[in-house]
Amino acid sequence: TIASLQADHDRARGMFEESLALDHKRGDQRGEADGLSALGVLAFHAGDYAEAETKLAASVEIYRAVGDRSGLATVLANLGHAVHQQGDSDRAIQLYEEALTHYQDIGDRAGSGFTLAHLGRALHAKGEVERARVMLVDGLVLSNGAADQVAVAEGFEGLAVVAATSGDAEDAARFLGAAGALRERISAPLPPVQETDIAHVVATSTAAIGVDAFLAAKSAGVTLSVADAIALTGLVPSAE
């Protein structure tokens, strides 16, 4: 798998490229799409977002051609990650929204929840703070229902980013406490690509309320449930 090969990027890339060449020779379009998707994700985790975009965009076209909506939704979401990391929030939003449509149509609640979390982050980057909050809350509900704990952690972190921007430093700290505790329980460290956003939340929040108050609120957030987190936002989820 990609995750197991991250420590040996060159070996992983070689394996996927070899598989891609064989699939192309056999005329296996779905195999080609899978291979391009894998190479795109590998490039993303290596920090080569332009290469990730190239590979994932090629995979999207093949998935469209073969009519694989599940594969298409996943690759559209990953392509959204790649373009978002390159600063194109508008295109990322379009990709996440298309991915979300496919996930919803095929009844994939986990995919929908994960995509809503990232759509919320992209909307926040564009300055659409309230819409971002709505997407994050709906994503949390779906991810929690689907028992996708990584997506729940990302939802908490997204709410922390939005809260910090909105001047709710204590809530931001609570959300980070909830996310950190969950990541520790499931052994899923914060991805390096998200470290800058979280560091900004910490800096903004500690500047607003002081280090001691921030740490106290973060500690209180360790026991925060999804329902508690949603209550802090004051929103009523539309997702069920």
Side-chain angles (χ1 to χ4, degrees), residues 2 12 14 59-60 64-66 76 82 92 94 102 127 150 156 193 197 205:
I2 293 173
S59 181
V60 162
R64 286 195 199 281
V66 300
L76 283 167
Q94 292 172 354
H102 290 296
V150 171
F156 284 146
V193 72
D197 282 350
S205 300

Side-chain angles (χ1 to χ4, degrees), residues 116 129-139 159 235 237-238:
L116 281 165
V129 177
E130 290 311 311
R131 189 177 167 212
R133 201 190 314 266
V134 170
M135 297 299 110
L136 288 161
V137 165
D138 283 349
L159 287 175
L235 296 176
S238 60

Side-chain angles (χ1 to χ4, degrees), residues 14-212:
M15 290 173 62
F16 289 129
E17 287 176 344
E18 182 178 352
S19 177
L20 177 62
L22 289 172
D23 288 328
H24 180 74
K25 185 176 181 179
R26 289 195 297 257
D28 181 352
Q29 287 186 289
R30 185 170 276 102
E32 283 189 74
D34 290 345
L36 287 164
S37 174
L39 285 166
V41 172
L42 195 65
F44 180 88
H45 285 292
D48 190 345
Y49 305 124
E51 177 66 10
E53 179 183 357
T54 298
K55 292 292 191 293
L56 292 166
S59 181
V60 162
E61 294 310 310
I62 299 175
Y63 277 124
R64 286 195 199 281
V66 300
D68 183 342
R69 296 191 74 185
S70 178
L72 177 59
T74 299
V75 179
L76 283 167
N78 286 334
L79 181 56
H81 303 341
V83 301
H84 190 203
Q85 287 302 314
Q86 295 177 85
D88 192 345
S89 298
D90 287 328
R91 187 170 170 227
I93 289 168
Q94 292 172 354
L95 290 162
Y96 288 138
E97 288 177 338
E98 185 182 352
L100 182 60
T101 296
H102 290 296
Y103 278 134
Q104 290 172 332
D105 286 350
I106 63 178
D108 188 334
R109 292 170 62 83
S112 296
F114 184 78
T115 302
L116 281 165
H118 287 276
L119 175 57
R121 297 287 281 270
L123 287 165
H124 174 268
K126 192 182 174 186
E128 296 187 35
V129 177
E130 290 311 311
R131 189 177 167 212
R133 201 190 314 266
V134 170
M135 297 299 110
L136 288 161
V137 165
D138 283 349
L140 261 181
V141 172
L142 290 174
S143 296
N144 191 50
D148 185 345
Q149 297 302 291
V150 171
V152 170
E154 295 202 350
F156 284 146
E157 288 151 1
L159 287 175
V161 171
V162 171
T165 299
S166 304
D168 300 321
E170 287 193 4
D171 283 351
R174 292 188 184 97
F175 292 137
L176 286 187
L182 178 54
R183 286 191 178 280
E184 185 173 351
R185 286 198 300 274
I186 63 176
S187 300
L190 182 71
V193 72
Q194 295 183 29
E195 290 175 354
T196 299
D197 282 350
I198 300 307
H200 182 70
V201 171
V202 173
T204 301
S205 300
T206 54
I209 61 175
V211 174
D212 290 344

